[in-house]
Amino acid sequence: MNTRTSRTVVAAALVLGIAAGPAAPALAAAGTPAATGHAAQKEPAREAPDAGALRAAIQGLPKDDATAALVRISGTGGGWRGSSGVHDLASGQPADPDGRFRAGSVTKVFTAAVVLQLAGEGRIGLDRPARHYLPDLIPGAYGKVTVRQLLNHTSGIPSVGSGGDTLEEWYAHRFDLHDAAETVREATAHRPDFAPGTQQHYANIGYTVAGLLIERVTGDTYASQVSRRILEPLRLKDTYFPGTDPTIRGPHNHGYQLFGTAGELRDVTVWGATDAWAAGDLISTTADLERFTRALFSGQVVRGPLLQEMFTLPGASVREYGTGKPAAFSAGLSVMRLGGREVWGKTGGRWGYNTAVAATRDLSRTLVYSVNATDAKGEDMNPTAMNIVVAAFGAPSAG
């Protein structure tokens, strides 16, 4: 498969996860996804990262689709780190390779991990209805939705808008504050999209409920629980939850968004994320997300059999809502085959920022990137991000 064909296939197969607004699959499977995530297929040789291909993937920034890119790869074949582009367009200074960024829906991996930890402690039952823990918030119409279904996007709870129907409306409301409980009440006031467990619809709402469930069970805030259970033990010192603060604290590269048919480029670095909360408000760095990914996959975050929940897709009969495609999401992650190997991960998008974490189960190759995309919530995958994925793992493969 030539490079141009490979990129076309990846563009069709990979769509960035959205932390707010219209939701779309992250690392969605090309063809039929693996049912369980067990390493049944023989992995290819553990070769070193292709430094030339990776450099080519991020060269020439800033350009139309992105102003900066940060990439970090590790694994048994060796590592690679690279950055390109600018800190901001006004100064033209080089991008800070250690800068913080909005991780978007990568937040969901942290949320799922905490819920699974609580399940391991016997404080949450994955097959218990969410209403058991939140009887005042989840109405009877959603009484059969289980905690597991919240995490793997099979709850049937519909998405609700929180910022507007157009980009200009979202921009005008970028500093609005959103209450998670009110979001859930609004969503559950509508009829279910489908009976729980019968289809899969990637959206934020299940993780908003999961965040509230964490708070109810622990009597603590969501941010405090993730910090105590994950950020502090792993020493993720540059990762934090912004709360109501619309800025990014500390060193960071600016994010930009194209507006209108004339392609006006606006700085959208300062933008509130309370609409996303437990589904997408995390701020982090490539180094921290790499450390988290390696710890998660090696069983240091979620221990024992519960870790397999993150590498198990719903049954083969569960199809993607509205398309009929095979379900591609587990609890917090999703899967596809790239370059002959099974790759699990999660992408995220906030205005001005696209992020991804991805790895093979055996950690022979991990990838973390942050791309300052100029259309981070577009329907198609950002070209620079697409090139990074192909360079890191190879083209999608069948089976």
Side-chain angles (χ1 to χ4, degrees):
M1 184 180 292
N2 62 41
T3 302
R4 183 173 181 180
T5 302
S6 299
R7 291 173 180 171
T8 301
V9 174
V10 175
L14 293 173
V15 182
L16 291 177
I18 304 300
L27 281 173
T32 304
T36 65
H38 293 297
Q41 302 91 350
K42 184 179 179 181
E43 294 290 345
R46 297 176 180 180
E47 74 283 359
D50 187 337
L54 289 163
R55 283 193 294 269
I58 61 174
Q59 71 181 0
L61 300 182
K63 54 186 179 181
D64 289 347
D65 71 286
T67 59
L70 314 178
V71 181
R72 195 175 184 100
I73 288 176
S74 67
T76 53
W80 187 87
R81 299 173 194 173
S83 63
S84 180
V86 295
H87 167 267
D88 66 279
L89 293 175
S91 72
Q93 293 296 314
D96 183 346
D98 300 315
R100 291 172 173 169
F101 49 81
R102 300 190 188 279
S105 285
V106 172
T107 309
K108 293 180 174 71
V109 190
F110 289 77
T111 304
V114 171
V115 172
L116 293 173
Q117 285 185 359
L118 291 168
E121 296 164 10
R123 302 170 73 179
I124 288 177
L126 296 181
D127 291 316
R128 274 203 144 175
R131 192 168 191 265
H132 171 80
Y133 304 99
L134 299 166
D136 54 323
L137 188 62
I138 306 297
Y142 291 93
K144 294 184 178 180
V145 172
T146 67
V147 175
R148 179 180 281 106
Q149 289 163 351
L150 295 175
L151 299 182
N152 67 17
H153 305 282
T154 61
S155 70
I157 302 175
S159 298
V160 292
S162 59
D165 296 324
T166 68
L167 177 55
E168 286 290 354
E169 288 177 348
W170 276 94
Y171 185 75
H173 291 279
R174 65 193 184 280
F175 300 133
D176 289 0
L177 300 180
H178 302 268
D179 179 76
E182 285 304 314
T183 298
V184 174
R185 291 189 184 97
E186 181 184 355
T188 55
H190 298 277
R191 297 182 60 179
D193 283 339
F194 48 81
T198 63
Q199 298 184 62
Q200 186 173 76
H201 184 192
Y202 178 82
N204 284 347
I205 190 63
Y207 280 76
T208 302
V209 178
L212 292 168
L213 190 156
I214 290 169
E215 294 194 332
R216 183 66 59 89
V217 168
T218 64
D220 194 8
T221 67
Y222 164 79
S224 174
Q225 281 293 301
V226 178
S227 296
R228 185 175 70 81
R229 291 171 173 272
I230 299 177
L231 306 189
E232 293 169 10
L234 295 181
R235 300 187 302 280
L236 306 184
K237 59 183 179 62
D238 290 314
T239 301
Y240 74 98
F241 296 94
T244 59
D245 184 358
T247 68
I248 300 175
R249 301 199 302 263
H252 60 277
N253 301 308
H254 287 226
Y256 297 86
Q257 171 67 39
L258 288 168
F259 281 75
T261 56
E264 175 196 357
L265 203 59
R266 297 182 196 172
D267 190 325
V268 292
T269 308
V270 180
W271 194 307
T274 57
D275 59 304
W277 192 51
D281 70 346
L282 192 76
I283 290 173
S284 191
T285 63
T286 56
D288 274 8
L289 290 182
E290 180 183 82
R291 177 177 290 187
F292 169 68
T293 301
R294 297 188 67 83
L296 178 71
F297 279 49
S298 61
Q300 298 176 48
V301 179
V302 178
R303 302 180 185 277
L306 284 168
L307 177 60
Q308 190 58 32
E309 291 287 334
M310 304 191 83
F311 300 99
T312 302
L313 301 178
S317 62
V318 178
R319 317 294 283 188
E320 183 185 350
Y321 177 63
T323 71
K325 296 178 181 178
F329 289 89
S330 62
L333 299 174
S334 60
V335 64
M336 72 177 300
R337 286 190 64 80
L338 292 167
R341 53 192 143 194
E342 194 174 85
V343 178
W344 290 83
K346 187 71 188 74
T347 57
R350 292 295 297 178
W351 304 107
Y353 300 89
N354 280 155
T355 301
V357 298
T360 55
R361 273 301 308 265
D362 64 359
L363 293 173
S364 59
R365 176 69 51 83
T366 72
L367 165 68
V368 178
Y369 71 68
S370 170
V371 173
N372 293 67
T374 57
D375 190 13
K377 289 181 174 292
E379 293 183 1
D380 297 323
M381 186 173 184
N382 175 269
T384 296
M386 175 179 65
N387 291 341
I388 293 168
V389 171
V390 172
F393 290 110
S397 49

